[in-house]
Amino acid sequence: MGRFAIELAKSTDDEALRRLAADNPMSGRIRISLRRDPCYFHGVETQGPFNQVGVARELDSGEVIGCATRSVRTVYLNGEEGELGYIGGLRLDPRFRGGTLLARAYRTFRQLHEDGRTRLYVTTIVEDNHAVRELLISRRAGLPRYHDQGRVHTLVIRAAGTNRPPVGEVRVERGGPAKIEEIVDCLRRNGRRRQFFPRYLAREFTEPNSHLRNFDVRDFHLAIRGGRVAGVAATWDQSAFKQTVLAGYCRSLTVVRPFFNLVAGLSGYPRLPAPGSLLKHCFVSFVAIDDDDPDVFRALLDSMGNDAAAHGHGYLLIGLHERDPFLRAAREYPHRDYASRLYVVCWEDDEEVWQSLDDRIPYLELAVL
């Protein structure tokens, strides 16, 4: 099949990386193409302050035929600040699947891991992408260990205005620079109660060159109760540098799609878009609520739905672990549900670190995956 080099990407690889992402959609019953125009690296930057993009390059042609990302950031592990890695963006040209390329890629990954920045990683794999899941959890020679941490649900919620009043004494207002310390305090005290919740600093939301690209602190929605910020969440529009395109459906969904859309249109649930459709959405991010109050969550989600609809977004996307208490409340809204599996990834000599994790509910920021 030719000779290959596995190395860190260069800035000159940007066009090839964007083409690889566009032409190799995520597998499953619904195939999603994750576009990264106008710059692949802009989307990677959101994963945290430290990122690496690895590429597999065919030496004879110089063509980039595969890629993956490694990112490290500070999160809460068992309630304390610690470093956690994320493995994502795995794409491989179908012509080169099989053989020893994956094993060689993980040998390079192991070499990068020797920088000591972290001992644990997380990653997600679409649940019905059985071939990839079986390969990565096979513990073949050279592969790290993948520990299943349960299901993560990505809910595609129809963005629609609502006049439902907040429950009790809760009112919702918009964030802003004057509220940043209260916002960060809410994120900190509630983030410690979740496993893998990112540690946020005020400057990450206010500095112009932050890795939180295109996020404006005024996109926070704040739940105020008793004169205090009792919960926060935000909408994050990343369409300027990350796009989601519906690439296609499996055969059974292709057949039933016209009938499903007829029923969905009558019931208010999201329809299945035509293949090739660009999905206009924004992410629900930075969810932190005192006492995991579902009424506060609903008030924030209502406010974000109103805002998204007013700005022309058809959908809100939120990712919630199967044990997250907000999942039931989120499912009350018209939605589509897509399941992935969450894995903690480590090498054998770091098994004790994984085993030390307690049973706090995992939290992943969907917008940066």
Side-chain angles (χ1 to χ4, degrees):
M1 296 290 288
R3 299 178 303 125
F4 304 97
I6 299 173
E7 58 192 15
L8 293 180
K10 307 176 181 67
S11 59
T12 52
D13 293 323
D14 179 70
E15 182 178 355
L17 286 165
R18 287 188 286 117
R19 182 171 59 250
L20 189 68
D23 294 347
N24 293 276
M26 297 170 61
S27 300
R29 297 178 68 232
I30 299 177
R31 298 189 300 278
I32 299 294
S33 175
L34 303 176
R35 310 293 173 89
R36 295 296 181 262
D37 297 324
C39 177
Y40 182 88
F41 297 97
H42 286 174
V44 176
E45 289 169 4
T46 64
Q47 295 174 4
F50 177 82
N51 302 285
Q52 294 172 314
V53 179
V55 297
R57 194 185 312 275
E58 188 182 32
L59 291 178
D60 293 336
S61 66
E63 181 183 4
V64 173
I65 54 91
C67 68
T69 63
R70 172 183 181 248
S71 303
V72 181
R73 68 170 305 151
T74 304
V75 303
Y76 294 112
L77 300 172
N78 295 345
E80 302 296 329
E81 293 184 9
E83 301 305 302
L84 180 70
Y86 172 69
I87 307 167
L90 179 62
R91 296 291 182 274
L92 184 61
D93 189 307
R95 296 173 297 165
F96 301 94
R97 293 174 184 172
T100 63
L101 189 56
L102 184 64
R104 292 174 57 188
Y106 270 98
R107 285 198 295 270
T108 302
F109 178 27
R110 180 61 189 260
Q111 293 171 3
L112 296 174
H113 173 71
E114 294 299 324
D115 63 11
R117 291 179 179 272
T118 183
R119 299 179 67 183
L120 294 178
Y121 300 84
V122 292
T123 192
T124 59
I125 305 174
V126 176
E127 190 165 55
D128 57 6
N129 193 347
H130 301 290
V132 171
R133 288 178 57 209
E134 290 175 5
L135 174 62
L136 293 179
I137 66 177
S138 64
R139 296 192 176 182
R140 295 182 183 179
L143 268 65
R145 297 188 174 187
Y146 279 68
H147 298 285
D148 193 340
Q149 301 296 287
R151 183 179 290 113
V152 173
H153 295 269
T154 295
L155 301 187
V156 181
I157 299 173
R158 187 169 64 89
T162 175
N163 295 318
R164 181 169 57 183
V167 176
E169 299 178 354
V170 175
R171 61 180 175 83
V172 178
E173 64 180 46
R174 298 301 291 271
K179 290 285 189 179
I180 188 60
E181 293 300 334
E182 293 177 79
I183 291 170
V184 171
D185 183 60
C186 185
L187 290 168
R188 184 181 299 116
R189 67 176 179 266
N190 289 291
R192 292 182 184 277
R193 298 188 294 107
R194 292 287 195 268
Q195 204 70 277
F196 316 134
F197 195 100
R199 187 281 317 269
Y200 292 110
L201 303 174
R203 59 178 172 80
E204 294 179 278
F205 296 108
T206 57
E207 291 182 350
N209 295 321
S210 167
H211 62 92
L212 302 177
R213 179 177 290 271
N214 280 33
F215 182 76
D216 191 320
V217 69
R218 290 168 294 188
D219 291 328
F220 267 107
H221 296 245
L222 315 180
I224 309 298
R225 182 166 51 195
R228 181 173 182 264
V229 174
V232 301
T235 54
W236 191 355
D237 179 6
Q238 298 185 348
S239 58
F241 58 95
K242 289 168 64 175
Q243 303 83 35
T244 303
V245 174
L246 196 291
Y249 300 97
C250 67
R251 181 175 298 179
S252 60
L253 282 182
T254 299
V255 171
V256 304
R257 177 176 162 265
F259 307 99
F260 176 90
N261 284 349
L262 178 61
V263 175
L266 296 174
S267 62
Y269 276 72
R271 302 186 183 197
L272 294 175
S277 298
L278 176 67
L279 304 183
K280 295 183 178 181
H281 65 80
C282 55
F283 294 96
V284 174
S285 301
F286 319 121
V287 180
I289 298 172
D290 292 349
D291 303 319
D292 292 335
D293 189 325
D295 289 331
V296 173
F297 176 76
R298 292 185 187 95
L300 290 170
L301 201 56
D302 286 344
S303 180
M304 289 184 288
N306 287 335
D307 182 60
H311 287 85
H313 297 293
Y315 308 98
L316 295 173
L317 267 63
I318 184 171
L320 297 168
H321 190 266
E322 61 184 351
R323 294 196 288 123
D324 197 302
F326 299 137
L327 180 59
R328 175 179 294 183
R331 282 174 164 166
E332 295 171 2
Y333 295 76
H335 70 277
R336 294 286 296 167
D337 189 339
Y338 303 95
S340 301
R341 303 299 298 188
L342 170 65
Y343 295 91
V344 171
V345 183
C346 64
W347 270 273
E348 186 173 356
D349 49 0
D350 290 322
E351 280 283 292
E352 76 277 7
V353 183
W354 168 73
Q355 293 173 358
S356 72
L357 295 178
D358 61 30
D359 64 351
R360 294 169 206 240
I361 298 169
Y363 178 95
L364 293 182
E365 200 67 81
L366 181 65
V368 306
L369 302 187

